[in-house]
Amino acid sequence: MYLRSKKKNMRNKLYKIISGICVLIGAVLYALFGYRPTAVEPVPTINEPVQTEISIPIEQQTITAETSDAFYAQQGLEIPARIQQRSERIMQRTNYTVSFNTKWNIPNWVAWDITKEEVDNDRYQRNDYFVSDPDIAASKAVEYQDYSGSGYDRGHMCPAGDNHFDATAMDECFYMTNICPQDHELNKETWNDLEIACRRWARRYGKVYVVCGPVLQNPDKPKTIGKRHKVAVPDAFFKVIMVVNKETPQAIGYIFQNNSSRKPWKAYSIDEVEEITGIDFFPALPDEIENVVEATYNQNLWSWGN
């Protein structure tokens, strides 16, 4: 009886060992020759948001060399002709267009129009929040700190006073690509007076076109400020203004030295400003009209008064 029980236990143990071996062999064979599912990308959960918009890199939103011909062909009266042999990157904003010089780190020019409706719409106040231009790579973008301790103001080209009508326009006019190092007295006095005059003329005539920017006497080696980004300091500033709601368009130009001298305003013809700056203004006008408009100016048209 004891021997029979002992043999039975041995058979059971042997059966378990054989069964285990069979299971192991089966698993190995299945792994080698059995069905393997094809690898697939994980399926998003039902709560995962679906991206429906195409994101365009900021750099592609600016005017490139390949698109500049089309840009210049379709722009308004305020846009100057393309500048030859000078760094020029065109960037369009809500209320102005800037030709930015990446070597000077200041604009070649900034152009916009001012309408009576915009001047009378004082909805949004200036924020005084100067920021680097988001369309410029962070490592190359001029910063607020580049002007710190320089002795120069952060001088607007397209001023905050022309952008009260729209919140985005107000924010964009504080981009550092719309700014130049400007003498404090010039910025707060004469330059500001001319900005106010432009708004008065917009009220008087309904709409004016404005282009302004820096003048550099030594464009290859200008004086600079900024420890991280070398920002060119202009020797002077120009501004040209045109009104077209007349039988013949009329235009006038001004140039101010970038210093604290308060010399009387001196008016220039557009031809004279073009000779000083090397920029061709109002090229969209028919040649026969452009030649007349740019050769002289009517001082009475641009007189002060409400």
Side-chain angles (χ1 to χ4, degrees):
M1 187 77 175
Y2 171 75
L3 291 175
R4 198 163 38 240
S5 176
K6 186 174 181 181
K7 289 180 180 180
K8 183 178 180 180
N9 289 339
M10 290 179 65
R11 283 197 303 268
N12 289 339
K13 290 181 179 179
L14 182 62
Y15 175 78
K16 290 180 179 180
I17 292 173
I18 294 173
S19 297
I21 293 173
C22 290
V23 171
L24 180 61
I25 293 173
V28 172
L29 292 174
Y30 181 82
L32 293 174
F33 305 105
Y35 169 75
R36 289 185 178 182
T38 303
V40 296
E41 294 293 329
V43 179
T45 64
I46 194 170
N47 294 325
E48 184 174 339
V50 179
Q51 184 174 349
T52 58
E53 297 180 353
I54 299 175
S55 177
I56 301 176
I58 288 178
E59 294 290 330
Q60 295 182 17
Q61 297 175 14
T62 58
I63 308 301
T64 64
E66 290 75 17
T67 61
S68 59
D69 287 337
F71 165 78
Y72 280 107
Q74 67 183 0
Q75 291 309 302
L77 295 176
E78 74 276 14
I79 302 300
R82 179 186 300 166
I83 303 177
Q84 301 298 327
Q85 298 179 343
R86 189 188 297 183
S87 170
E88 183 177 51
R89 177 174 177 179
I90 304 294
M91 293 179 284
Q92 293 179 286
R93 306 301 181 205
T94 301
N95 191 41
Y96 67 86
T97 302
V98 55
S99 165
F100 189 70
N101 192 309
T102 56
K103 294 183 178 179
W104 295 348
N105 277 324
I106 56 175
N108 293 304
W109 52 258
V110 179
W112 69 102
D113 60 57
I114 312 171
T115 67
K116 181 181 184 300
E117 292 74 21
E118 291 170 349
V119 174
D120 291 338
N121 186 345
D122 201 21
R123 183 175 180 182
Y124 299 96
Q125 299 304 307
R126 61 179 290 156
N127 55 34
D128 285 318
Y129 185 57
F130 293 87
V131 296
S132 297
D133 194 316
D135 280 3
I136 304 293
S139 61
K140 298 180 180 179
V142 177
E143 301 171 330
Y144 176 90
Q145 293 82 359
D146 286 317
Y147 284 64
S148 298
S150 67
Y152 290 95
D153 284 4
R154 298 166 183 85
H156 284 84
M157 296 297 96
C158 180
D162 292 356
N163 292 279
H164 286 294
F165 68 96
D166 185 272
T168 301
M170 180 61 75
D171 289 340
E172 289 175 345
C173 83
F174 282 89
Y175 286 175
M176 295 301 294
T177 45
N178 182 44
I179 306 299
C180 287
Q182 199 165 47
D183 177 85
H184 176 74
E185 292 297 325
L186 173 64
N187 184 29
K188 299 302 181 184
E189 299 293 339
T190 314
W191 191 252
N192 182 60
D193 290 342
L194 183 54
E195 292 171 345
I196 294 172
C198 288
R199 291 190 283 274
R200 287 177 175 168
W201 293 327
R203 285 192 179 99
R204 184 186 304 171
Y205 302 117
K207 184 176 185 177
V208 295
Y209 296 92
V210 183
V211 188
C212 72
V215 178
L216 276 67
Q217 293 179 351
N218 187 1
D220 294 328
K221 293 183 179 180
K223 174 184 176 181
T224 62
I225 62 171
K227 293 182 178 179
R228 183 173 182 185
H229 305 97
K230 300 302 180 182
V231 181
V233 178
D235 298 288
F237 291 93
F238 72 86
K239 180 168 284 189
V240 295
I241 309 102
M242 180 175 69
V243 58
V244 297
N245 59 344
K246 295 279 181 184
E247 291 183 2
T248 301
Q250 298 286 329
I252 196 168
Y254 295 93
I255 292 181
F256 299 123
Q257 295 300 312
N258 192 17
N259 56 43
S260 58
S261 63
R262 297 187 183 183
K263 294 182 179 180
W265 286 27
K266 175 175 171 47
Y268 293 79
S269 69
I270 303 304
D271 282 341
E272 291 173 320
V273 179
E274 287 181 340
E275 184 176 352
I276 293 171
T277 63
I279 300 174
D280 180 9
F281 300 106
F282 312 126
L285 290 174
D287 289 342
E288 63 275 13
I289 297 178
E290 181 184 3
N291 293 336
V292 174
V293 169
E294 296 185 354
T296 185
Y297 57 88
N298 181 352
Q299 184 64 65
N300 293 329
L301 183 70
W302 308 101
S303 62
W304 279 81
N306 295 323

